[in-house]
Amino acid sequence: MNNFFVHYRPLPPGLKRFLLLVLTVLVTLIVVLGFWEPSLQNQYGPGRRQPVKELSGWLLDGPGGAQLLVPQPGQTTQGQTFNRVLLAGPGKTIPPPAVMDHVGDWVKVRGSLFSRGPLDVMNTRKATPMRPPLGTPEANVVGHSEGEFTLRGEIVDSKCFSGVMKPGSGKAHMGCAIRCISGGVPAVFHVRREDGSALDFVLIDDQNQTVNERVLPLVAQPLELKGEVIRFDNLLAIRANPESYQPLKP
Amino acid sequence: MSHQYVAVQWTRRKFIYDAILIGLMALYLLAFMQTSHWIADLRGIELETDGVAIRAYGSAAYILLHLTLAIGPLSRLHPWFHTLLFNRRHMGVMVFLLGAIHVSGWTLPSQPWIWFGMRTPKLPWAFYGSVAWYNNFGDLKPLVSLFTVNRHFGSLALFPFELLGVIGLIVLFVMAAISHDFWLANLTAPVWKAIHMSVYVGYAALVGHVLLGALQTNRNPWLAVLVLSGALALLTLHLLSGWREWRPDRADLAQPGQSWVDVGALQDIADGAAKVVMLSGERVAVFRRGGSVFALSNVCQHQNGPLGEGRIVNNCAVCPWHGYEYELDTGASPPPFHESVPTFPVQLREGRILISPVPMAAVQR
């Protein structure tokens, strides 16, 4: 009787200790969960969003989508002449005409650069054509075949995977990846090797064309691909028809 | 009580309740986001702050939903938990708000500026919610994308868990939208309560949303363990409180055709309190005040609270949930209020309480 509670009447003294105990339990629970839960979440990734940069190079449309070929000074580990930066537009789109109208030109572009391992992607709205510096090598548009391989991995969009989003892959990222790839962002096949390292391959068909619209139903799920791996400077591509992609059991 | 409609009938205790509630949620959000930054710094890797905020608000809503749903059975198991029950609706509304922020981010406050073509003020805590972050900025409207982007309904590993979250949020919205007593009075308590029972449909959808999200996305099994533990704890609490209700409900004291039913001795009831008995399928609250007894329907007209778990205050039976009052002899609320509950004829014979199972009409004022 003494502890009967009605909220518009004075609090019975016997209940104060109980409420303090409840509050202590709740604060402890909230603090424990608040500090513990982030470590359980898959919200970290090696991708990096770099400050806005200005880059100059050859602007090409392919393989797999628009890219900028930035000359590599000095000796490089792979002996490559260029570093290839994939290009995307604002949001989940292909670069706008103000960029794509200058395919084949030496251009200057400005934008946010996202990097994950050897994969670089730039978000840009405009390309300014320039005269190429003296002695600039020509772009290798054919690439170098590394042979036929069977790869297991998942299709991701190169842009968010490279730094906009964490983890940028897996089922939770399916919606975003499909929107990006549907919007023209280069589709990449992400392969995780047994030693924990990863390789990323730009997807092209046997005509060296982009496959974006054709792979949408297969994005962010385990797949097996058989095809020819081709190296374009630092960029790896796998040439295979999307009809031959084999879904694996998740 | 409800002689007029006001936005919220504030009392000092409601302010304290809400302040603690908001403080706890702010503490959780702060701890979650700051810890995320610390972990990223320790590992030397970058964090994506919109995703962190989406997870922080979503998990805050989910945790608070568990606390909200636990209070009901806890208060049936021990009356001290009524101190948490009386303002539980504000908890429910906050669960919806946290869930809505999880979905829409803090972009809604900028909408009025956008409508009038003005520059949007930059809020320091602004972020894109899950719908915009994962589905906007592309070649489809975000909501169209949300509902069409994943059609793997036949696969558990690829099932669009986002859609379960949509179901949960819709249920939470309905709860929050009709939480005010205006809707309670106009829909009537049974209808209002029946609608609010759909919170368990919403909860089931949200368990699926969070569990599938955890299993499909996270490699750490502890998240799934936490989700299942929460669901198991709630289920246990509800079964325990249900068992406690079910047992006395089975013991219907009235026989067919019986005009007076012996429900026990006067001295078995504490002065100022009540015992609840089952008569012809209806729970009756038998209150004792000194040497007198009064029998009222156990169902409070406000939210159908258990009137018999209340006490006598100022010659009125007071509901333990929200303090609704009913005069002992008439069952009517004191003026200017107009709720009333049916009463039952009572006799005292040699210390035994006899009650007629046929109720008298509720007094209308």
Side-chain angles (χ1 to χ4, degrees), chain B residues 151-174:
Chain B
R151 295 172 189 173
H152 298 286
F153 294 101
S155 163
L156 198 62
L158 297 171
F159 189 87
F161 71 95
E162 297 89 341
L163 299 185
L164 294 173
V166 172
I167 294 169
L169 192 67
I170 290 171
V171 171
L172 291 175
F173 169 73
V174 173

Side-chain angles (χ1 to χ4, degrees), chain A residues 9 11 14 43 60 71 76 87 94 107 111-112 118 126 139 152 155 161 168 185 198 213 224-226 233 237:
Chain A
R9 295 171 64 86
L11 185 69
Q43 57 182 357
L60 297 186
T76 58
L87 297 179
I94 196 169
V107 297
S112 300
K126 187 182 166 191
R152 288 183 170 193
I155 299 172
F161 176 72
V185 172
E213 286 302 321
E224 184 176 274
L225 267 65
K226 288 180 187 170
D233 301 309

Side-chain angles (χ1 to χ4, degrees), chain B residues 70-148:
Chain B
I71 289 172
L74 281 174
S75 65
R76 306 318 310 276
L77 293 171
H78 200 290
W80 286 6
F81 286 99
H82 289 145
T83 49
L84 306 179
L85 181 79
F86 79 96
N87 204 29
R88 187 172 56 156
R89 277 186 280 186
H90 288 199
M91 269 185 155
V93 172
M94 187 141 176
V95 171
F96 166 69
L97 290 178
L98 288 167
I101 295 170
H102 164 73
V103 168
S104 75
W106 275 105
T107 53
L108 282 181
S110 62
Q111 293 302 315
W113 275 267
I114 293 169
W115 296 336
F116 293 103
M118 294 162 68
R119 190 185 172 90
T120 309
K122 177 75 177 167
L123 301 172
W125 58 84
F127 71 96
Y128 289 107
S130 52
V131 169
W133 194 234
Y134 294 109
N135 294 280
N136 204 358
F137 320 114
D139 54 354
L140 279 183
K141 296 276 187 192
L143 279 180
V144 177
S145 173
L146 174 69
F147 287 106
T148 58

Side-chain angles (χ1 to χ4, degrees), chain A:
Chain A
M1 177 65 189
N2 290 336
N3 284 327
F4 182 57
F5 173 80
V6 181
H7 69 90
Y8 50 77
R9 295 171 64 86
L11 185 69
L15 282 179
K16 279 186 181 167
R17 199 185 300 168
F18 170 72
L19 285 176
L20 280 176
L21 178 70
V22 168
L23 191 58
T24 308
V25 170
L26 283 178
V27 168
T28 307
L29 179 75
I30 291 298
V31 168
V32 167
L33 287 175
F35 284 105
W36 187 30
E37 273 226 25
S39 66
L40 309 179
Q41 301 276 351
N42 191 12
Q43 57 182 357
Y44 310 94
R48 282 194 307 127
R49 181 198 289 253
Q50 300 183 37
V52 171
K53 288 192 173 187
E54 201 168 73
L55 298 174
S56 299
W58 292 114
L59 177 61
L60 297 186
D61 188 8
Q67 49 199 257
L68 189 74
L69 277 59
V70 183
Q72 289 297 289
Q75 199 73 26
T76 58
T77 50
Q78 298 284 342
Q80 75 229 28
T81 316
F82 294 98
N83 183 49
R84 295 198 176 215
V85 177
L86 298 173
L87 297 179
K92 298 164 183 171
T93 62
I94 196 169
V99 175
M100 299 307 288
D101 286 350
H102 302 292
V103 165
D105 294 344
W106 181 272
V107 297
K108 180 174 73 181
V109 297
R110 183 180 161 82
S112 300
L113 187 67
F114 310 106
S115 302
R116 180 164 174 158
L119 201 61
D120 291 319
V121 184
M122 182 176 261
N123 201 23
T124 187
R125 294 168 185 271
K126 187 182 166 191
T128 308
M130 299 168 65
R131 187 187 296 273
L134 284 175
T136 304
E138 287 297 312
N140 173 14
V141 294
V142 180
H144 170 75
S145 175
E146 302 278 356
E148 295 280 332
F149 288 89
T150 299
L151 305 172
R152 288 183 170 193
E154 69 166 305
I155 299 172
V156 296
D157 69 285
S158 51
K159 181 179 177 181
C160 294
F161 176 72
S162 300
V164 180
M165 291 199 178
K166 307 287 185 307
S169 61
K171 163 65 186 55
H173 195 71
M174 179 186 273
C176 178
I178 289 176
R179 282 282 68 75
C180 280
I181 293 171
S182 175
V185 172
V188 162
F189 194 59
H190 177 59
V191 176
R192 184 167 291 280
R193 295 191 287 194
E194 283 181 3
D195 63 0
S197 62
L199 284 174
D200 300 302
F201 302 82
V202 170
L203 288 168
I204 52 176
D205 67 10
D206 54 6
Q207 303 298 311
N208 291 344
Q209 299 298 307
T210 58
V211 296
N212 289 33
E213 286 302 321
R214 286 174 281 170
V215 301
L216 291 179
L218 299 169
V219 170
Q221 51 186 295
L223 297 176
E224 184 176 274
L225 267 65
K226 288 180 187 170
E228 183 184 10
V229 171
I230 307 165
R231 176 177 290 283
F232 296 89
D233 301 309
N234 62 316
L235 193 70
L236 292 171
I238 181 159
R239 184 187 281 158
N241 267 332
E243 291 73 26
S244 69
Y245 297 179
Q246 289 298 318
L248 300 172
K249 217 170 183 178

